Amino acid sequence: MGSYGMKKIAIIGECMIELNGEPFGLMQQTYGGDTLNTAIYLARATPKSAVEIHYISVMGTDKLSQGMVADWQAEGINTDWVLRDKTRQPGLYLIQLDSLGERTFLYWRNQSAARYLLQHHDYPHILSQLKHMDMIYLSGISLAILPDSDRTLLIQQLTELVKLGVKIAFDSNYRPALWESLQKTQEMYTALLPFVTVALVTFDDEQAIWQDIDEQATIQRLKQSGVRTVVVKSGKHGAIFNDIDGVEQQVPTIPVDNVVDTTSAGDAFNAGFLSGYLQNKPLEICCRQGNQLAGVVIQHKGAIINKSATIHFINQFN
């Protein structure tokens, strides 16, 4: 476990090359991925002396991969556990936006390097080090991209780490196209949820997976499954948390008039929340930080906005 004062979090997932713009028109090339977005915003929102952020993934040895990892290092993320695969490259996705800033995605990721994380010859070393983390964060996408047997193995490994005192934070982030079936999604989530310390879920995802009728149904189901602290994100309506003692509160967000791009809004919320959580702030403050950071991010294009746009936000919190 991390020493007093300095917390350590390991974030498991995939980062892809992002193309943003009009097909056959002007396209901007950058990168993004739900857990990587959270890692970067967490690094920006948190004093370096408070939290050490490790990203766990696999990238290629190509120039794009090298450039992406160098950028993450420049953001203050520890990339020692970003493994390299000489035979595979990162996945690719295209974002298309409508007039209201809502987005649709096209993906090319079936053979991405990150999919084979658990099969990498250096993965056992990472696994041996995870017992020293205070928290491990992953998402539904982190699970979905893995081969089925590797999903089961990862969940088993996480449950062993929980027994050693490591906390698990999980965002159920649901992409139906990545799963063989809804039943498989439910099976994997059901196996993991009893070991989750903090669930950071979006109501729309929970409704799609479990047919929950409202946020209260989501909270009750997750608490019954064994999740200690539940946070349900509801977009412009803010978030509701239910803590380890069952204390519940709605935390409204400040309305944003200039919504440009909702890409990574939930990822940014998670970063703002976890920044507070890892610094032992009250859950209400954690949710307010999440709401505020998401509110900044949706006023700019792309999954990872320019660092200068987050400076004011960061100064508010630290």
Side-chain angles (χ1 to χ4, degrees), residues 28-63:
Q28 181 183 6
Q29 176 221 304
T30 177
Y31 56 80
D34 64 336
T35 55
L36 190 278
N37 303 338
T38 294
I40 285 181
Y41 288 128
L42 178 60
R44 292 181 184 180
T46 312
K48 299 292 185 285
S49 59
V51 179
E52 185 177 297
I53 303 160
H54 294 257
Y55 195 62
I56 298 176
S57 190
V58 188
M59 297 292 285
T61 55
D62 54 280
K63 286 188 177 181

Side-chain angles (χ1 to χ4, degrees), residues 1 10 17 23 32 38-39 44 60 68 108 117 121 130 148 154 171 201-202 214 223 260 275 285 292 296 308 317:
M1 297 289 284
I17 300 161
T38 294
R44 292 181 184 180
M68 289 159 72
W108 296 266
L117 170 66
H121 57 82
L130 288 179
D148 189 43
L154 178 59
D171 181 345
V201 304
T202 300
D214 57 22
K223 295 290 280 194
V260 174
S275 176
I285 300 300
Q292 289 175 30
V296 171
S308 62
F317 290 152

Side-chain angles (χ1 to χ4, degrees), residues 99-102 256-262 298-299:
S99 60
L100 299 176
E102 291 299 326
V256 174
D257 296 327
N258 183 34
V259 177
V260 174
D261 183 354
T262 57
I298 63 176
Q299 296 179 61

Side-chain angles (χ1 to χ4, degrees), residues 108-152:
W108 296 266
R109 76 197 307 177
N110 288 343
Q111 290 299 314
S112 75
R115 176 173 163 81
Y116 299 96
L117 170 66
L118 271 70
Q119 298 174 28
H120 196 286
H121 57 82
D122 288 330
Y123 176 74
H125 169 70
I126 295 175
L127 181 62
S128 71
Q129 297 300 308
L130 288 179
K131 62 179 179 288
H132 302 299
M133 297 292 104
D134 293 286
M135 175 170 276
I136 296 171
Y137 170 79
L138 72 161
S139 75
I141 294 176
S142 307
L143 290 174
I145 64 168
L146 299 176
D148 189 43
S149 59
D150 287 2
R151 294 173 187 149
T152 300

Side-chain angles (χ1 to χ4, degrees), residues 235-253:
K236 64 182 180 181
H237 301 296
I240 306 172
F241 71 79
N242 186 299
D243 71 12
I244 195 167
D245 298 316
V247 176
E248 189 169 302
Q249 184 177 339
Q250 170 94 35
V251 183
T253 191

